[in-house]
Coordinates of all heavy atoms in Angstrom, one line a residue:
M1 N 44.3 -4.1 55.3 CA 44.4 -4.9 56.5 C 44.0 -3.9 57.7 O 43.4 -4.4 58.7 CB 45.9 -5.3 56.6 CG 46.1 -6.1 57.9 SD 45.3 -7.7 57.8 CE 45.9 -8.5 59.3
Y2 N 44.5 -2.7 57.7 CA 44.2 -1.8 58.7 C 42.7 -1.5 58.9 O 42.1 -1.4 60.0 CB 44.9 -0.4 58.6 CG 44.7 0.6 59.6 CD1 45.2 0.6 60.8 CD2 43.7 1.7 59.3 CE1 44.9 1.5 61.8 CE2 43.6 2.6 60.2 CZ 44.1 2.5 61.4 OH 43.9 3.6 62.4
N3 N 42.0 -1.4 57.7 CA 40.6 -1.1 57.7 C 39.8 -2.3 58.3 O 38.8 -2.1 59.0 CB 40.1 -0.9 56.3 CG 40.6 0.5 55.8 OD1 40.8 1.3 56.5 ND2 40.6 0.6 54.5
R4 N 40.2 -3.5 58.0 CA 39.6 -4.7 58.6 C 39.7 -4.7 60.1 O 38.8 -5.1 60.8 CB 40.1 -6.0 58.0 CG 39.5 -7.2 58.4 CD 40.0 -8.5 57.8 NE 39.7 -8.4 56.4 CZ 40.2 -9.2 55.6 NH1 41.0 -10.2 55.9 NH2 39.9 -9.1 54.2
I5 N 40.9 -4.4 60.7 CA 41.1 -4.4 62.1 C 40.3 -3.3 62.7 O 39.6 -3.6 63.9 CB 42.6 -4.2 62.4 CG1 43.4 -5.4 61.9 CG2 42.8 -3.9 63.9 CD1 44.9 -5.2 62.1
M6 N 40.2 -2.2 62.1 CA 39.4 -1.1 62.7 C 37.8 -1.5 62.6 O 37.2 -1.1 63.6 CB 39.6 0.2 62.0 CG 41.1 0.7 62.1 SD 41.6 0.9 63.9 CE 40.6 2.3 64.4
L7 N 37.5 -2.1 61.6 CA 36.1 -2.5 61.5 C 35.7 -3.5 62.7 O 34.7 -3.5 63.2 CB 35.8 -3.1 60.1 CG 34.4 -3.7 59.9 CD1 33.4 -2.5 59.9 CD2 34.3 -4.3 58.5
I8 N 36.6 -4.5 62.8 CA 36.4 -5.5 63.9 C 36.4 -4.9 65.3 O 35.5 -5.1 66.1 CB 37.5 -6.6 63.8 CG1 37.3 -7.5 62.5 CG2 37.5 -7.5 65.1 CD1 38.5 -8.4 62.3
A9 N 37.4 -3.9 65.5 CA 37.3 -3.2 66.8 C 36.0 -2.4 66.9 O 35.4 -2.3 68.0 CB 38.5 -2.2 66.9
F10 N 35.5 -1.7 65.9 CA 34.4 -0.9 65.9 C 33.1 -1.8 66.2 O 32.3 -1.5 67.1 CB 34.1 -0.2 64.6 CG 32.8 0.6 64.5 CD1 32.7 1.8 65.3 CD2 31.7 0.1 63.8 CE1 31.5 2.5 65.2 CE2 30.6 0.9 63.8 CZ 30.5 2.1 64.5
C11 N 33.1 -2.9 65.6 CA 32.0 -3.9 65.9 C 32.0 -4.4 67.3 O 30.9 -4.5 68.0 CB 32.1 -5.1 65.0 SG 31.6 -4.6 63.2
L12 N 33.2 -4.7 67.8 CA 33.3 -5.1 69.3 C 32.8 -4.0 70.2 O 32.1 -4.3 71.2 CB 34.6 -5.6 69.6 CG 35.2 -7.0 69.0 CD1 36.6 -7.1 69.2 CD2 34.3 -8.1 69.5
I13 N 33.2 -2.9 70.0 CA 32.8 -1.7 70.8 C 31.4 -1.6 70.8 O 30.7 -1.3 71.8 CB 33.6 -0.5 70.4 CG1 35.1 -0.6 70.8 CG2 33.0 0.7 71.0 CD1 35.9 0.5 70.2
M14 N 30.8 -1.6 69.6 CA 29.3 -1.5 69.4 C 28.5 -2.6 70.1 O 27.5 -2.3 70.9 CB 28.9 -1.3 67.9 CG 29.4 -0.1 67.3 SD 28.9 1.4 68.1 CE 27.1 1.4 68.0
I15 N 29.1 -3.8 70.0 CA 28.4 -4.9 70.7 C 28.4 -4.7 72.3 O 27.4 -4.9 73.0 CB 29.0 -6.2 70.3 CG1 28.7 -6.5 68.9 CG2 28.6 -7.4 71.2 CD1 29.4 -7.7 68.3
L16 N 29.6 -4.2 72.8 CA 29.6 -4.0 74.2 C 28.8 -2.9 74.7 O 28.2 -2.9 75.7 CB 31.2 -3.8 74.6 CG 32.0 -5.0 74.5 CD1 33.5 -4.6 74.7 CD2 31.6 -6.1 75.4
L17 N 28.7 -1.8 73.9 CA 27.9 -0.7 74.3 C 26.4 -1.1 74.2 O 25.7 -0.7 75.2 CB 28.1 0.5 73.2 CG 29.4 1.3 73.5 CD1 29.6 2.3 72.4 CD2 29.3 2.0 74.8
C18 N 26.0 -1.9 73.2 CA 24.6 -2.4 73.2 C 24.3 -3.2 74.4 O 23.2 -3.1 75.0 CB 24.3 -3.0 71.8 SG 24.3 -1.8 70.5
A19 N 25.3 -4.1 74.7 CA 25.0 -5.0 75.9 C 24.9 -4.2 77.3 O 24.1 -4.5 78.0 CB 26.1 -6.1 75.9
G20 N 25.8 -3.2 77.3 CA 25.7 -2.4 78.6 C 24.5 -1.6 78.6 O 23.9 -1.4 79.7
A21 N 24.0 -1.0 77.5 CA 22.8 -0.3 77.5 C 21.6 -1.2 77.8 O 20.7 -0.7 78.6 CB 22.6 0.5 76.1
Y22 N 21.6 -2.4 77.3 CA 20.5 -3.3 77.6 C 20.5 -3.7 79.0 O 19.4 -3.7 79.7 CB 20.7 -4.6 76.7 CG 19.6 -5.6 77.0 CD1 18.4 -5.6 76.3 CD2 19.8 -6.7 77.9 CE1 17.4 -6.5 76.6 CE2 18.9 -7.6 78.1 CZ 17.7 -7.5 77.5 OH 16.7 -8.4 77.7
S23 N 21.6 -4.0 79.6 CA 21.7 -4.3 81.0 C 21.3 -3.1 81.9 O 20.7 -3.2 82.9 CB 23.1 -4.7 81.4 OG 23.3 -4.8 82.7
W24 N 21.7 -1.8 81.4 CA 21.4 -0.6 82.2 C 19.9 -0.3 82.2 O 19.3 -0.2 83.3 CB 22.1 0.6 81.6 CG 21.8 1.9 82.3 CD1 20.8 2.7 81.9 CD2 22.4 2.4 83.4 NE1 20.8 3.8 82.8 CE2 21.8 3.7 83.7 CE3 23.4 2.0 84.2 CZ2 22.1 4.5 84.8 CZ3 23.8 2.8 85.3 CH2 23.2 4.0 85.6
F25 N 19.2 -0.5 81.1 CA 17.8 -0.1 81.0 C 16.9 -1.2 81.5 O 15.8 -0.9 82.0 CB 17.4 0.1 79.5 CG 18.0 1.5 79.1 CD1 18.8 1.6 78.0 CD2 17.6 2.7 79.7 CE1 19.3 2.8 77.6 CE2 18.1 3.9 79.3 CZ 19.0 3.9 78.2
H26 N 17.4 -2.4 81.6 CA 16.6 -3.5 82.1 C 16.8 -3.7 83.6 O 16.2 -4.5 84.2 CB 16.7 -4.8 81.3 CG 16.1 -4.7 80.0 ND1 14.8 -5.1 79.8 CD2 16.5 -4.3 78.7 CE1 14.5 -4.8 78.5 NE2 15.5 -4.4 77.9
G27 N 17.9 -3.1 84.1 CA 18.2 -3.1 85.6 C 18.5 -4.5 86.1 O 18.4 -4.7 87.2
G28 N 19.1 -5.4 85.2 CA 19.4 -6.7 85.8 C 18.2 -7.5 86.2 O 18.3 -8.2 87.1
D29 N 17.0 -7.4 85.5 CA 15.8 -8.2 85.8 C 16.1 -9.6 85.6 O 15.3 -10.4 86.2 CB 14.7 -7.7 84.9 CG 14.2 -6.3 85.2 OD1 14.5 -5.9 86.4 OD2 13.7 -5.6 84.3
A30 N 17.0 -10.1 84.9 CA 17.2 -11.5 84.6 C 17.7 -12.2 85.9 O 17.4 -13.4 86.1 CB 18.2 -11.7 83.5
L31 N 18.3 -11.5 86.8 CA 18.9 -12.2 88.0 C 17.8 -12.1 89.1 O 17.2 -11.1 89.4 CB 20.1 -11.4 88.5 CG 21.3 -11.4 87.6 CD1 22.4 -10.6 88.2 CD2 21.7 -12.8 87.4
P32 N 17.4 -13.3 89.7 CA 16.4 -13.3 90.7 C 16.9 -12.8 92.0 O 18.2 -12.9 92.4 CB 16.1 -14.8 90.8 CG 17.3 -15.5 90.3 CD 17.9 -14.6 89.4
D33 N 16.0 -12.2 92.8 CA 16.5 -11.7 94.2 C 16.5 -12.9 95.1 O 15.5 -13.6 95.2 CB 15.5 -10.6 94.7 CG 15.6 -9.3 93.9 OD1 16.6 -9.1 93.3 OD2 14.5 -8.7 93.9
M34 N 17.7 -13.0 95.7 CA 17.9 -14.2 96.7 C 17.7 -13.7 98.1 O 18.3 -12.7 98.4 CB 19.2 -14.9 96.4 CG 19.5 -15.5 95.1 SD 21.0 -16.2 94.8 CE 20.9 -17.5 96.1
E35 N 16.9 -14.4 98.9 CA 16.8 -14.0 100.2 C 17.5 -14.9 101.1 O 17.5 -16.1 100.9 CB 15.3 -14.0 100.6 CG 14.4 -13.0 99.9 CD 13.0 -13.0 100.4 OE1 12.8 -13.6 101.5 OE2 12.1 -12.5 99.7
V36 N 18.2 -14.4 102.2 CA 19.0 -15.2 103.1 C 18.1 -15.5 104.3 O 17.5 -14.6 104.9 CB 20.3 -14.4 103.5 CG1 21.0 -15.2 104.5 CG2 21.0 -14.0 102.3
P37 N 18.0 -16.8 104.7 CA 17.2 -17.2 105.9 C 17.8 -16.5 107.2 O 19.1 -16.3 107.2 CB 17.3 -18.6 106.0 CG 17.8 -19.1 104.6 CD 18.5 -18.0 103.9
R38 N 16.9 -16.0 108.0 CA 17.5 -15.3 109.1 C 18.3 -16.1 110.1 O 19.2 -15.5 110.8 CB 16.2 -14.7 109.9 CG 15.5 -13.6 109.1 CD 14.5 -13.0 110.1 NE 13.9 -11.8 109.3 CZ 14.2 -10.6 109.5 NH1 15.2 -10.4 110.3 NH2 13.6 -9.7 108.9
E39 N 18.1 -17.4 110.2 CA 18.8 -18.2 111.1 C 20.3 -18.4 110.6 O 21.1 -18.8 111.4 CB 18.2 -19.5 111.4 CG 17.8 -20.3 110.2 CD 16.4 -20.0 109.6 OE1 15.8 -19.2 110.1 OE2 16.1 -20.6 108.6
K40 N 20.6 -18.1 109.4 CA 21.9 -18.3 108.8 C 22.7 -17.0 108.8 O 23.8 -17.1 108.2 CB 21.8 -19.0 107.5 CG 21.1 -20.3 107.4 CD 21.8 -21.2 106.5 CE 21.1 -22.6 106.6 NZ 21.9 -23.6 106.0
V41 N 22.1 -16.0 109.2 CA 22.8 -14.6 109.1 C 23.8 -14.6 110.4 O 23.4 -14.8 111.5 CB 21.8 -13.5 109.2 CG1 22.6 -12.2 109.3 CG2 20.9 -13.5 107.9
Q42 N 25.1 -14.2 110.1 CA 26.0 -14.1 111.1 C 26.4 -12.5 111.3 O 26.7 -11.9 110.3 CB 27.3 -14.9 110.8 CG 28.4 -14.8 111.9 CD 29.6 -15.6 111.5 OE1 29.6 -16.1 110.4 NE2 30.5 -15.7 112.3
V43 N 26.3 -12.1 112.4 CA 26.6 -10.6 112.6 C 28.0 -10.6 113.2 O 28.4 -11.1 114.2 CB 25.6 -10.0 113.7 CG1 25.9 -8.5 114.0 CG2 24.2 -10.2 113.1
L44 N 28.8 -9.7 112.5 CA 30.3 -9.5 113.0 C 30.3 -8.2 113.6 O 29.8 -7.1 113.1 CB 31.1 -9.7 111.8 CG 31.1 -11.0 111.0 CD1 32.1 -10.9 109.8 CD2 31.5 -12.2 111.9
H45 N 31.0 -8.1 114.7 CA 31.3 -6.9 115.4 C 32.7 -6.3 115.1 O 33.7 -7.1 115.2 CB 31.0 -7.0 116.9 CG 29.6 -7.4 117.2 ND1 28.7 -6.4 117.3 CD2 29.1 -8.5 117.5 CE1 27.5 -7.0 117.7 NE2 27.8 -8.3 117.8
W46 N 32.8 -5.0 114.8 CA 34.1 -4.5 114.5 C 34.6 -3.9 115.7 O 34.0 -3.2 116.5 CB 33.9 -3.3 113.4 CG 35.2 -2.7 113.1 CD1 35.7 -1.5 113.7 CD2 36.2 -3.1 112.2 NE1 36.9 -1.2 113.1 CE2 37.2 -2.1 112.2 CE3 36.3 -4.2 111.3 CZ2 38.3 -2.2 111.5 CZ3 37.5 -4.3 110.6 CH2 38.4 -3.3 110.6
V47 N 35.9 -4.3 116.1 CA 36.5 -3.8 117.3 C 37.6 -2.9 116.8 O 38.6 -3.2 116.1 CB 37.2 -5.0 118.1 CG1 37.9 -4.5 119.3 CG2 36.0 -5.9 118.4
N48 N 37.5 -1.6 117.2 CA 38.5 -0.6 116.9 C 39.4 -0.4 118.0 O 39.0 0.1 119.1 CB 37.8 0.7 116.5 CG 38.7 1.7 115.9 OD1 39.8 1.4 115.5 ND2 38.3 2.9 115.8
W49 N 40.7 -0.8 117.9 CA 41.7 -0.6 118.9 C 42.8 0.1 118.5 O 43.2 0.2 117.2 CB 42.1 -2.0 119.5 CG 42.8 -2.9 118.4 CD1 42.1 -3.6 117.6 CD2 44.1 -2.9 118.1 NE1 43.0 -4.3 116.8 CE2 44.2 -3.9 117.0 CE3 45.3 -2.3 118.7 CZ2 45.5 -4.2 116.5 CZ3 46.5 -2.7 118.2 CH2 46.6 -3.6 117.1
E50 N 43.4 0.9 119.4 CA 44.6 1.7 119.0 C 45.8 0.9 119.5 O 45.8 0.5 120.6 CB 44.5 3.1 119.7 CG 43.2 3.8 119.4 CD 43.4 5.0 118.5 OE1 44.6 5.4 118.4 OE2 42.4 5.5 118.0
P51 N 46.9 0.8 118.7 CA 48.0 0.2 119.1 C 48.8 1.0 120.2 O 48.6 2.3 120.2 CB 48.9 0.1 117.8 CG 48.4 1.2 117.0 CD 46.9 1.3 117.3
A52 N 49.5 0.3 121.1 CA 50.2 1.1 122.1 C 51.3 1.9 121.5 O 51.8 1.6 120.4 CB 50.9 0.0 123.1
E53 N 51.6 3.1 122.1 CA 52.6 4.0 121.5 C 54.0 3.4 121.8 O 54.3 2.7 122.8 CB 52.5 5.3 122.4 CG 51.2 6.0 122.1 CD 51.3 7.4 122.8 OE1 52.4 7.9 123.1 OE2 50.2 8.0 123.0
L54 N 54.8 3.6 120.7 CA 56.1 3.0 120.7 C 56.9 4.0 121.6 O 56.9 5.2 121.5 CB 56.6 2.9 119.3 CG 56.0 1.9 118.4 CD1 56.5 1.9 117.0 CD2 56.1 0.5 118.9
P55 N 58.0 3.4 122.3 CA 58.9 4.2 122.9 C 59.8 5.1 121.9 O 59.9 4.8 120.8 CB 59.9 3.3 123.7 CG 59.5 1.9 123.3 CD 58.3 2.0 122.4
D56 N 60.3 6.2 122.4 CA 61.1 7.1 121.5 C 62.3 6.4 121.0 O 62.8 6.8 119.9 CB 61.5 8.3 122.3 CG 60.3 9.2 122.7 OD1 59.3 9.2 121.9 OD2 60.3 10.1 123.6
A57 N 62.9 5.4 121.7 CA 64.0 4.7 121.1 C 63.8 4.0 119.8 O 64.6 3.8 119.0 CB 64.6 3.8 122.2
V58 N 62.6 3.5 119.6 CA 62.2 2.8 118.5 C 62.0 3.7 117.2 O 62.4 3.3 116.2 CB 60.9 1.9 118.7 CG1 60.5 1.2 117.5 CG2 61.2 0.9 119.8
I59 N 61.5 4.8 117.5 CA 61.3 5.8 116.4 C 62.5 6.4 116.0 O 63.3 6.5 115.4 CB 60.3 6.9 116.8 CG1 59.0 6.3 117.3 CG2 60.1 7.9 115.8 CD1 58.0 7.3 117.8

């Protein structure tokens, strides 16, 4: 029973390793590059603000 479980685990590990190696060497060629139209691009601006200092009584 233990040998069967270890064999199944070994097979799963080998399948995942082979799938990962295939994906790594082919660089994800199966996925097409999607281009975003320029008129639909939204630019967000990051506002960095510092909170007001707390009075000493709060600390």
Side-chain angles (χ1 to χ4, degrees):
M1 181 69 175
Y2 177 77
N3 289 337
R4 183 178 294 171
I5 292 172
M6 294 308 289
L7 179 64
I8 291 171
F10 177 74
C11 290
L12 286 174
I13 291 171
M14 291 307 296
I15 289 170
L16 291 174
L17 282 174
C18 291
Y22 178 82
S23 175
W24 176 269
F25 287 119
H26 287 274
D29 291 336
L31 298 176
D33 291 335
M34 297 180 64
E35 294 185 16
V36 178
R38 289 187 177 263
E39 55 270 358
K40 299 215 175 192
V41 174
Q42 181 182 5
V43 178
L44 301 176
H45 295 279
W46 179 263
V47 177
N48 190 12
W49 59 276
E50 304 251 347
E53 292 185 22
L54 295 174
D56 292 336
V58 177
I59 300 174

